[in-house]
């Protein structure tokens, strides 16, 4: 299926799965690329939390607390990602490194969380 037939976000995610350079260039150029990248990171965090949820099942956690734990894990994963992006951006400010705007860096790193 060609990228033109897919919704814009799905084409970018498919390109990230295939490690196509154009997908990373496109998300950096999109006006809403930052929000799409952050959504990908939150979904990756949620996916990780669901994968680790066997411990919650073993401990017989109540359903409300279970879903709250999944949401909290996704949000904490997102904050960890933002720390990674911020520290990478700050290192890029040192002499001899390429300076990349912070929103562009967040967009590209966030898309990298799709695979």
């Amino acid at each position: 299926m060609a990228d033109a037939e897919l919704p814009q976000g799905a084409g970018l995610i498919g390109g990230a799965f295939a490690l196509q350079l154009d997908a990373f260039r496109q998300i950096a150029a999109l006006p809403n690329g930052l929000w799409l990248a952050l959504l990908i990171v939150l979904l990756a965090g949620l996916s990780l939390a669901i994968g680790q949820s066997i411990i919650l099942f073993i401990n017989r956690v109540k359903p409300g607390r279970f879903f709250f734990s999944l949401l909290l894990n996704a949000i904490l994963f997102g904050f960890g990602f933002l720390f990674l992006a911020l520290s990478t951006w700050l290192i890029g400010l040192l002499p001899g490194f390429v300076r990349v705007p912070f929103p562009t860096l967040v967009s590209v790193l966030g898309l990298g969380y799709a695979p």
Side-chain angles (χ1 to χ4, degrees):
M1 189 178 276
D3 283 341
E5 298 173 15
L6 294 172
Q8 195 169 19
L12 288 174
I13 293 172
F17 284 154
L19 297 175
Q20 295 175 346
L21 182 60
D22 287 337
F24 293 94
R25 286 184 181 152
Q26 287 175 2
I27 198 162
L30 283 177
N32 62 348
L34 178 66
W35 295 110
L36 179 62
L38 291 175
L39 178 65
I40 290 170
V41 170
L42 285 177
L43 290 175
L46 184 62
S47 174
L48 179 67
I50 289 171
Q52 296 173 344
S53 66
I54 188 71
I55 302 302
L56 297 174
F57 284 122
I58 290 172
N59 290 328
R60 297 182 184 167
V61 173
K62 294 178 184 177
R65 182 161 270 191
F66 173 76
F67 290 113
F68 176 72
S69 176
L70 290 180
L71 180 64
L72 185 62
N73 280 334
I75 291 170
L76 289 174
F77 188 82
F79 278 120
F81 165 75
L82 288 177
F83 178 77
L84 168 76
L86 181 64
S87 61
T88 304
W89 180 73
L90 288 173
I91 290 172
L93 295 178
L94 294 173
F97 288 89
V98 176
R99 286 180 171 73
V100 178
F102 185 69
T104 303
L105 183 66
V106 170
S107 298
V108 173
L109 285 178
L111 184 61
Y113 272 60

